[in-house]
Structures are given as C-alpha cells and as structure tokens.
Amino acid sequence: MFKKFWDTILFYLKTDEIRNKIYFSLIILLMFRVLASLPVVGIKQEDFINLFNGSSFGDLLSTLSGGVLQTASIVAIGLNPYINASVTLQLLTPVIPKLEELRKEGSQGRRLISMYTRLLTVPLAILQSFAIYSILRGQGFIGALDTVPFIVMCATLTGGAILMMWFGELISESGIGGGTSFLIFLGILSGLPGNFIDNWRYMDILQKVLLVLMNLIIVAVVIMISESERRVKVQYSRRVRAGGSLDSYIPLKLTQSGVMPVIFAISLLSFPQLIAQFLISRNINSTVTSISQTLITWISNPYTQNIGLFVLVIAFSLFYVTVVFNTEEISENLQKNGGFVPGIRPGKATASYLRGISLRLTVVGALVLAILAVLPNLLEYIGFLQKPLISGTGFLILVGVVLDMRRQIKSMAVVKDYGKYI
C-alpha cells in the first residue's frame, strides 16, 4: 500500500507539467508569506490584534484575508475586496441584462465579467482600507494621520489587495488548485499547528479522543459528499458499436459549487459588521451609532451567526447551480451530437429533467455543507468539545482545496500517461 502511494507520488513529480505547477505554487506561497511580514505605514500589529481579538468579525475577515489580517502587513485585507466584488457581480448577473448576455457568450463573456470583477475590486479595496483606518481611529488605537501617511496607508493596503488578487489568478492559470481558495487554504493551514498545540495542552484524555474522532469524521464526510455524483445515462445514436448505440453519462456532483458557497457566505456575513464598525467609528449621530451597535451585537451572537451561515451556504449553493449549470446549453449540445437521455425527449424536456436532478442533488449537498459548516461551533457551545481544532468553514475549505488539487494533478498525470501512446 505505502509502496504504491510513494510510486504514485514519484510518478507525479517526474511529470514536468505537474512539477512546474508545484514549483510555481510554492514560489507564490513564498512571495505571499514575505509580503505578509512587511508592515503597512501608520498601523501597528498590536492595533489589529487588540481590535479583532476574540471577535467573530475579526475571525471571519481573517479567514478571507488568508490568515494575515492581524499581521498589519501590506496584504492585510487580502482577498476580501476581490471576493466581495465576485459576490456582487454574481448576484447582479440575473438582474442586469448585459451581464446575463455576457454570461451566455461563453469564454469571451466570462473574460469580460472577470475584467469587471478586477475593476470593481479596486474601489472596494480603497473603501475597506479607509474603513479599517476609521475603525482603528474611532476605537482609539491610532491617532489621526496626516494627509501623506494616510494616502500611503490606503494605497499600500489597496495595492496589497490587488497583488493578492493577481496571485490568485496566477495560481489558477499556472499553479495547482483554484487561486482564491488556495490562498485562503494557506492562511488556514498556517494557523493550524498553533491551534492544535493550544487545544492539546489543556485537554484531558477523553477530550483529546473526542477531538481527533470528530475531526476525522468531519473530514471523511466532506470527502464523501465532495466525491459523490449521480451519473445520468446518455445514448448517442450516431456512435454505434457492436450490439447497438454507444452509451455515456453526464456526471452531476452532489456539491457542484465546491467550497465557493462557504467562502461567499463568510464574505456576506463579515461585510455588514465592517460597515457597522465603520459607522460607529465615524460617530455620525446617536441614532446611527445605536443601530450599528445593535447590528454588531446581533450578528456577533454565536447562534445568529451560525444560523446566518447555515442559511447563506444553502442559498449560495442553489444560486450557484442555477446560474452556472446551464442545462439548456447541455441539452442543445447533446441534441447536436445525436445524444439523448433514455426515456426523455431531446430539447427542453431534457433541460428540465437535468435541472430537476441538479436542484435535488444541490439541496442535499447544500444541507450537508451547511451542517458541517456550523457543527464544530455548535459542539463547542453545548460543551461537547472544549474548543474545535478548526472551524467548520475552515474544514470545508481545507478538504475541498486538497481534493481539487488532487483532481487536477490526477488529470494531468492521466494525460501524460496517455501521451506516450500517441
């Protein structure tokens, strides 16, 4: 077993394409960690730690930043603006006819939408930089900055966010895994050893056993639902083999959107808290301050936050499969190639059939994802675990990214293996 495992690893490393992509991802990782150690002008690391210490708001932002928010570095706000821009455009796509047309245009339309996402990231990064400064100043952690240091600070944080966005796209094109999720994965992974030591040091034997078992069960369930799929049988009348027409299938995954609904849900939960903190720091009037404080108290409540996370994961999963999984296009392509689902008429009937199956699968997958996202937190609140090793959202992102990287490496290895016969 272990010999086969090491033989597989060696085979992957001997493949030039896989090896180059791994090297490229490691270079991006090194650059990311170097930038995370460069301080930004006008803000001390202690200010960030004091502001977000023990705050669920800070935990959410830190997850999306790639685990570098509290470093007060030039990449402190990380991928937050880029993810917010992506969420905004995806929510606006069904509403704005021009964006809907671009989505239907294929690769060229997706490139334009990606460009709009990058352009929207810049003002969002500037706004978030200004909001963080205002919050720190309003809380009394830093004093008022002069014009030049203030501009330099905002420009540095904005430039860091754009660099993170660029790193993510570079990894998607030339590295291993999805760029955005890969960088978030690195941030979560970097904090895992310290969290493990903190948990292990203060636990008794029973708690240690429960911690290990619970984490292993969650990992196993995440792998199971990520790899589960339903295969819809397809027959091609134009491709004939001995004995009849050639059969194929359309694989419909239980979680077609992967971990993106979890990332989007975290982003949407953290955004109102950031706005409320900003309004409190500006001290506009007593009414606005009172409403903002009430909003923060309400969202920061563990039960409210977990219910919100649960609902948003399901909502984004259904939204994602509705927008991205184009059943009409699949049905049209099947019809053009002489393919059909046995017992289903080609055309609109096939599209409706596939849509119904994908929605039912997505509902089940979304429920499991949502439960896993909040389960470790709930077990901590009821006292079953002293403290989870990692949050449920962190688990989903970690395992999802690892499985995605495995699929990419495996597909490249298969192509390389078949290439020697061509």
Side-chain angles (χ1 to χ4, degrees), residues 325-383:
F325 188 62
N326 194 336
T327 54
E328 286 81 6
E329 184 179 348
I330 294 174
S331 175
E332 184 180 345
N333 290 335
L334 284 176
Q335 196 169 8
K336 287 180 180 178
N337 291 289
F340 61 93
V341 178
I344 307 297
R345 292 178 61 86
K348 292 184 178 179
T350 299
S352 177
Y353 176 73
L354 293 175
R355 188 183 305 111
I357 293 176
S358 64
L359 284 175
R360 288 194 295 272
L361 288 173
T362 302
V363 168
V364 176
L367 283 171
V368 177
L369 280 178
I371 291 171
L372 291 175
V374 302
L375 181 60
N377 298 332
L378 294 178
L379 292 176
E380 180 187 3
Y381 300 146
I382 64 177

Side-chain angles (χ1 to χ4, degrees), residues 304-318:
T304 303
Q305 194 170 96
N306 282 289
I307 291 172
L309 184 62
F310 185 90
V311 172
L312 287 175
V313 168
I314 295 174
F316 273 119
S317 296
L318 294 173

